[in-house]
Amino acid sequence: MHVGHWLLKPARLLRATYPAPDTGQDAYGWLRAELDAFPRNPRDLPPSVQLAHARDCLDRATDVVWGYWSATGLYIARALITCPRTGIPCPHSTDTPRAAPRFRQEHGAALVQLPIT
């Protein structure tokens, strides 16, 4: 499966959409909050390293895909997927107050909250 195919998943998996690049740092803030809520195992990379890499990706308007075991033993998967992709438009989220305007023809990013297993 390609990362971009998550944009085709059901709308219930879509957390929000944001413009790219993330000049308002809303997408970065979401990632930081998720990392704070589900901290990595202490033996893993420090949060500052993961967040610095995410900031670099967001500054370049590229995907951020996280999958890790949390300190509590949950597998956490989060993705910020840039769009549009070839043949895949940007989705639009209407059920979240943080949703940005439609990005069907513009560049943006969709925050996809993957299920916690």
Side-chain angles (χ1 to χ4, degrees):
M1 175 176 187
H2 296 284
V3 171
H5 287 169
W6 276 102
L7 299 172
L8 301 172
K9 293 287 185 181
R12 65 182 166 75
L13 294 177
L14 177 65
R15 184 64 175 247
T17 56
Y18 294 102
D22 185 34
T23 54
Q25 297 199 17
D26 295 324
Y28 179 81
W30 179 80
L31 290 169
R32 180 185 262 303
E34 290 297 301
L35 189 56
D36 289 344
F38 303 100
R40 295 180 67 104
N41 189 303
R43 294 172 293 187
D44 290 341
L45 291 171
S48 59
V49 173
Q50 188 172 8
L51 288 167
H53 180 260
R55 177 78 269 154
D56 179 58
C57 289
L58 292 171
D59 287 346
R60 293 182 290 115
T62 60
D63 299 334
V64 177
V65 180
W66 288 354
Y68 62 92
W69 290 99
S70 73
T72 61
L74 292 174
Y75 185 76
I76 306 300
R78 298 291 182 265
L80 172 72
I81 303 168
T82 57
C83 58
R85 300 272 218 235
T86 302
I88 304 173
C90 288
H92 177 62
S93 173
T94 58
D95 58 355
T96 175
R98 298 187 303 168
R102 290 185 184 267
F103 291 104
R104 298 223 181 263
Q105 301 302 320
E106 301 172 29
H107 290 281
L111 289 174
V112 179
Q113 180 170 343
L114 307 176
I116 299 173
T117 56

